[in-house]
């Protein structure tokens, strides 16, 4: 029996090789230019890393279990903030998603307004929003809820609009041809097509918001971030180690549960 032979490999043309070399050179040049532009004192950075590694890292790996109750209470508050903010965002993003979807409004001006609102909201990081709401409503968890809600609305609204633009419009056209009114088309032609993906994106955003909520307390918006701020200010690295461990465990569990739920929905 004749031996099977692999087809000969195609050789890269000289032009492609030159293009790849140029791209690689440009990327390397950008990295070098970036690091030179931020004026890093490498000697001092390496010295501080070496000192901190000896002093801080061992204590991070020796969690202070006496603070477990306090840390768990703060983590639960963080989950409340993330859930309340995500739920508000999932609701607020629906009308904005419809407004920004080209096939829902059939009006370029309204679609442009919707897209602009969503882009403007996404321009603000969660920490900036938290700072603004801490000033507006005071240093409490409600400020964190509002920051998460507004920050997540921009992203969910954009995703919702893209889902709406990808629906099967033949269903809508068929219902219109049969005399269905706008509400009937909405509830029987549009929503059944988008609900699974809407829910999936909302659950995924909750995962992201749990991570975002862990740091909002640094600016006074409640949650475990407040403990992070005090632990770092007091150089209490044993407690910081426990905080980091709890965050990792809780976020990992939520990721697994969320992934399983999203898989069943979609």
């Amino acid at each position: 029996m004749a031996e099977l032979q692999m087809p000969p490999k195609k050789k890269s043309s000289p032009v492609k090789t030159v293009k790849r070399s140029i791209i690689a050179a440009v990327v390397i040049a950008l990295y070098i230019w970036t690091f030179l532009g931020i004026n890093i004192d490498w000697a001092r950075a390496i010295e501080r890393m070496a000192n901190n590694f000896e002093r801080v890292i061992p204590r991070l790996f020796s969690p202070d279990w006496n603070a477990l109750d306090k840390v768990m209470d703060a983590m639960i508050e963080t989950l409340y903030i993330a859930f309340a903010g995500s739920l508000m965002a999932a609701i607020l993003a629906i009308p904005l998603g419809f407004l920004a979807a080209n096939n829902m409004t059939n009006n370029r001006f309204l679609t442009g307004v919707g897209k602009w609102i969503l882009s403007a909201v996404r321009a603000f990081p969660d920490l900036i929003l938290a700072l603004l709401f801490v000033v507006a409503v005071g240093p409490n968890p409600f400020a964190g809820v509002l920051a998460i809600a507004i920050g997540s609305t921009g992203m969910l609204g954009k995703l919702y609009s893209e889902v709406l633009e990808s629906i099967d419009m033949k269903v809508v056209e068929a219902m219109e041809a049969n005399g269905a009114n706008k509400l009937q088309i909405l509830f029987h032609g549009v929503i059944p097509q988008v609900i699974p993906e809407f829910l999936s994106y909302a659950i995924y955003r909750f995962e992201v918001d749990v991570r975002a909520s862990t740091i909002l307390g640094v600016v006074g918006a409640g949650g475990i971030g407040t403990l992070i701020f005090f632990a770092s200010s007091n150089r209490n690295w044993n407690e910081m180690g426990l905080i980091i461990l709890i965050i990792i465990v809780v976020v990992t569990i939520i990721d697994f549960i969320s992934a399983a739920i999203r898989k069943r929905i979609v």
Side-chain angles (χ1 to χ4, degrees):
M1 182 181 288
E3 293 184 2
L4 294 174
Q5 294 183 351
M6 297 296 292
K9 293 182 178 179
K10 292 182 179 180
K11 294 183 178 180
S12 299
S13 65
V15 175
K16 286 185 177 180
T17 303
V18 171
K19 284 183 178 179
R20 290 171 183 170
S21 300
I22 291 172
I23 291 171
V26 169
V27 171
I28 292 169
L30 284 172
Y31 271 102
I32 294 172
W33 175 69
T34 300
F35 280 107
L36 290 175
I38 55 180
N39 298 319
I40 299 175
D41 187 344
W42 291 104
R44 186 180 178 188
I46 293 171
E47 180 184 355
R48 293 196 64 175
M49 284 177 63
N51 293 335
N52 288 333
F53 186 87
E54 295 176 359
R55 188 175 72 252
V56 175
I57 302 300
R59 294 178 64 187
L60 287 176
F61 284 93
S62 301
D64 180 9
W65 295 104
N66 293 323
L68 181 61
D69 290 341
K70 177 176 65 174
V71 174
M72 284 304 300
D73 287 342
M75 190 70 227
I76 291 170
E77 184 177 72
T78 297
L79 294 176
Y80 289 159
I81 292 170
F83 180 77
S86 299
L87 182 60
M88 288 176 64
I91 296 169
L92 292 173
I94 293 174
L96 290 173
F98 273 89
L99 184 64
N102 290 310
N103 57 341
M104 292 293 108
T105 58
N106 294 319
N107 185 306
R108 289 186 178 181
F109 175 76
L110 291 177
T111 300
V113 170
K115 291 184 183 296
W116 180 84
I117 291 171
L118 295 175
S119 297
V121 171
R122 292 198 309 276
F124 292 93
D126 292 334
L127 271 178
I128 301 299
L129 291 170
L131 277 170
L132 294 174
F133 285 118
V134 164
V135 173
V137 302
N140 55 60
F142 185 53
V145 171
L146 292 176
I148 291 295
I150 300 302
S152 298
T153 297
M155 182 56 67
L156 283 178
K158 182 178 185 298
L159 293 172
Y160 287 179
S161 68
E162 291 176 355
V163 171
L164 287 164
E165 288 175 346
S166 66
I167 66 171
D168 185 2
M169 290 301 292
K170 291 181 181 178
V171 176
V172 175
E173 292 167 2
M175 293 185 70
E176 287 177 342
N178 283 285
N181 59 39
K182 296 291 184 182
L183 283 177
Q184 289 173 329
I185 292 171
L186 175 64
F187 285 104
H188 299 287
V190 176
I191 290 179
Q193 295 190 64
V194 300
I195 278 293
E197 290 188 73
F198 275 23
L199 289 174
S200 178
Y201 282 132
I203 293 169
Y204 175 72
R205 187 63 205 186
F206 172 65
E207 292 179 35
V208 176
D209 288 339
V210 170
R211 299 183 185 92
S213 300
T214 59
I215 200 64
L216 296 185
V218 171
V219 295
I224 204 167
T226 305
L227 295 184
I228 293 174
F229 175 75
F230 286 121
S232 61
S233 299
N234 298 325
R235 303 293 190 268
N236 190 350
W237 305 120
N238 299 95
E239 185 174 311
M240 180 68 81
L242 179 63
I243 294 169
I244 293 171
L245 178 62
I246 293 299
I247 291 173
I248 292 171
V249 171
V250 171
V251 169
T252 303
I253 292 171
I254 289 173
D255 283 351
F256 276 111
I257 295 173
S258 172
I261 294 172
R262 284 188 287 112
K263 186 177 180 180
R264 291 181 68 87
I265 289 173
V266 176

